[in-house]
Amino acid sequence: ENGLFLPDTVEELLDPGRNAGAFIHNASWGQAFAIAYSSLTREFDNYLHENDDFLLVMPAGNSGDTDSAIVNPALGKNVLTVGATETFGDGLR
């Protein structure tokens, strides 16, 4: 209904950009509170393994039950995960 959603397959999400010549995909989203390797993450890993000239960049996540939680699909083995080392302090105001 409302809100964001993923296409039915990882290919539907990533192939249009790849087919247009993009080999780096930056996705600034993740599954909230999903801190275990999931079937979705496995799909991304499989896609990236089969397309080894393609790079997926994901945020580590801003949620989870600990300050150091990394959410899916950033847990992927073939994903470049980007995160911060500080969550508060004078340098981040």
Side-chain angles (χ1 to χ4, degrees):
E1 293 180 20
N2 294 327
L4 299 175
F5 62 93
L6 286 174
D8 291 332
T9 68
V10 170
E11 290 81 8
E12 287 180 70
L13 176 67
L14 300 178
D15 277 351
R18 181 177 167 73
N19 293 338
F23 293 93
I24 300 173
H25 180 94
N26 182 45
S28 296
W29 56 267
Q31 293 177 308
F33 304 107
I35 56 173
Y37 192 85
S38 70
S39 60
L40 174 64
T41 303
R42 186 178 315 107
E43 288 181 41
F44 278 101
D45 269 342
N46 288 338
Y47 182 90
L48 295 166
H49 177 74
E50 293 168 5
N51 298 281
D52 62 356
D53 59 347
F54 193 83
L55 176 64
L56 176 62
V57 181
M58 294 294 300
N62 294 322
S63 59
D65 58 0
T66 68
D67 290 338
S68 61
I70 299 176
V71 299
N72 282 311
L75 286 169
K77 297 169 178 66
N78 298 314
V79 174
L80 175 61
T81 303
V82 179
T85 59
E86 299 285 333
T87 58
F88 58 88
D90 292 336
L92 298 172
R93 292 184 185 175

